[in-house]
Amino acid sequence: MTTSSSMSLTTRIMIGMLAGITVGWLFKALFNDSGDFLLNLGFFELSFKNFFVDGLFHIGGQVFVASLKMLVVPLVFISLVCGTCSLSDPSKLGRLGGKSIALYLLTTAIAITIAMTLALIISPGEGINMPTTSSFDAKQAPTLVDVIINMFPTNPIEAMASGNMLQVIVFALLFGIAMALSGESGKRLAAVFDDLNTVILKLVTILMNLAPYGVFCLMAKLFSYIEIALIKKLIFYFFTVVAALFIHALVVYPTLLKSLSGLNPKMFLSKMKDAALFAFSTSSSSATMPVTLETATKKLGANNKVASFTVPLGATINMDGTAIMQGVATVFIAQVFAVDLSFSDYLMVILTATLASVGTAGVPGVGLIMLAMVLNQVGLPVEGIAIIMGVDRLLDMTRTAVNVTGDCMVTCVVAKSEGELNEQVFNDKHAADAIEDIHFDKK
Ligand code: ASP
């Protein structure tokens, strides 16, 4: 046994994260804001903060996230083609799509309703009078018609190059169906895709093994810049969002999972740790997708046929955590600007936020852009976003963890309902522990 294998991957990532946060805070506390703590060696001057934070940590963190993102398009395309062409019954595809989209929309609508209710009870924006110092450019919400038309790529290579996941999903589905209908040629190609899938999953595993270092760098950089003082000013807003996120992850998901599939929610949550930690540290459900897929198939026991469809779809259209932030933020901004929202305004917020989450990429900070659309819709000042922007980074991390948990919950429910969930794997506490260790020294 090597040292790395004596500790679980989750523990190692956790240690990387805590060490990163501590180092980041130390840098922030010890060095002045401009980062000019110079070590003068006479012949050589070294700025500590520049060297470590903007140098080493920045490079380490960005390389880690880029490597994860690098896998997303090939992984989604290959595993979705494998999944689709192995579906024996083509009508299953329609059912899968219908069920997952309905569940994704339902969970998002529940999320935003909880968030607004909590915000109305706590009233985080009452008595806050904040002049806005910066402005925010609002974008128009895409219409449903545009979203549907834009799902079909005119050029699949361009869709892959620009990382347009909905288009990649549609192309992979069509390609997989055609392969299934192509007899011998399709079978030969399917074998190649199966091999490609094995190789790309190995790459995911290698990256997961390097994650503790990547996470350390991301956290150290982030926390050496984060302004905790800003959180103090917006403490009620901050904690209303966090409370709603926790309620959704620890009450709503377990309840839905139990009632819709009969699966054990405790087991589910304990298996979500790695994916949630990845999401937390990268703030991107899209970059986390390789890990989410691995969790859904190898730890939760969902068949790749289902997971290869529901996970990428969820990472693209399902953002419950984001919807929660939007719900709280809408009520908060209305309170700060003393605007009375009517009941139909609230319904409009639920509808817009739910639809706006479809077709928006899972990348850091995108939630704020979507929030601008929601505010526009009910006539609230979009400048309100400038008030909450300062604390959004930390909230983004937390809500992304909820976003990926939601993707896996829906995957489990859909897989179970289709008879495509291996309950033995789901109920095995140590399922997929073995995939966590790659010994780089072995041939
Ligand atoms: N960072 C989130 C995600 O990738 C999106 C957001 O809320 O900004 O899921």
Side-chain angles (χ1 to χ4, degrees), residues 124-132 234 329-339 380-381 384 387-388:
E126 292 297 350
I128 290 194
N129 189 4
M130 273 202 184
T132 52
L234 294 172
T330 309
V331 175
F332 173 81
I333 290 169
Q335 288 169 350
V336 170
F337 288 92
V339 177
L380 281 171
I387 304 175
I388 53 172

Side-chain angles (χ1 to χ4, degrees), residues 5 26 40 48 50 54-55 71 93 109-110 113 154 170 177 179 183 185 187 201 205 237 254 295 299 310 316 378:
S5 62
L26 278 178
N40 199 336
F48 256 54
N50 281 351
D54 301 318
L71 295 181
L93 205 58
I110 295 178
T113 310
T154 46
V170 168
I177 294 172
M179 254 166 76
S185 313
K187 277 196 188 125
L201 284 178
T205 315
Y237 166 74
T295 305
K299 287 186 190 256
T310 53
T316 316
V378 286

